[in-house]
Amino acid sequence: MAAAIASFASAGFEGTTIPEVMQRAGVGAGSLYRLFPSKEALFNAAFRDAKGRMARAVEVALTAALLSGARDADDAARARATFDALWDALVAFAAEEPVTFRFLELHHHAAHLDPESQRLERAVLEPLRALVVDFQARGVLRGDVPAEAVIAFVW
């Protein structure tokens, strides 16, 4: 996975070749093709692996923020604490796994994402969307901007 993510992050989907990934990974063609029948299958497996790791980092931060003392604060303070925790988690993930983060940023809307990868992308964003909607309902964030737009602006 690390070799595939690094290759796709540096050369993109079109610029990455299976022989390059095999060389980076130090494996033979038989090993790779037994696991992944195509470049698209390898790409989607790498995407799901990377997105899953990022999702876990965000989920841990979100859970900690929602369970922290910030829950006793007013809505604006709770929104700020939640935002800070999520942002800190994303920055930490990007610092710890810069290649993985670059891969995800380059490919999270890629045409090569299969339905399972697309579902994962939406599932990772759903808790963030729900938070934005909640904060909009409480008047902490503007309610006249779609939640998806707020997320895109912040991202």
Side-chain angles (χ1 to χ4, degrees):
M1 284 298 105
I5 289 169
S7 295
F8 289 125
S10 66
F13 180 82
E14 300 298 334
T16 297
T17 66
I18 293 297
E20 174 194 343
V21 174
M22 290 184 304
Q23 183 178 16
R24 262 188 208 237
V27 299
S31 298
L32 192 66
Y33 282 115
R34 253 182 265 128
L35 296 171
F36 308 103
S38 67
K39 183 165 84 168
E40 290 80 6
L42 174 62
F43 173 84
N44 279 284
F47 180 85
R48 288 190 289 270
D49 176 71
K51 185 59 85 166
R53 288 197 314 268
M54 189 183 85
R56 284 186 291 281
V58 169
E59 181 181 6
V60 166
L62 181 58
T63 300
L66 295 175
L67 294 176
S68 74
R71 70 180 177 274
D72 298 326
D74 64 20
D75 288 340
R78 189 170 36 254
R80 169 65 69 186
T82 302
F83 176 85
D84 289 348
L86 290 170
W87 192 258
D88 289 348
L90 285 171
V91 169
F93 181 80
E96 291 168 14
E97 298 197 46
V99 174
T100 302
F101 191 77
R102 183 172 55 247
F103 167 72
L104 288 170
E105 282 300 293
L106 291 172
H107 299 291
H108 65 105
H109 292 307
H112 332 295
L113 293 179
D114 64 17
E116 184 180 344
S117 293
Q118 291 173 10
R119 276 190 298 278
L120 177 59
E121 176 67 22
R122 287 189 302 274
V124 169
L125 290 177
E126 181 51 34
L128 302 177
R129 192 195 70 71
L131 266 175
V132 169
V133 168
D134 179 53
F135 289 140
Q136 286 174 323
R138 295 170 186 266
V140 175
L141 296 174
R142 288 177 52 168
D144 61 336
V145 179
E148 293 78 10
V150 172
I151 293 169
F153 288 143
V154 170
W155 201 263

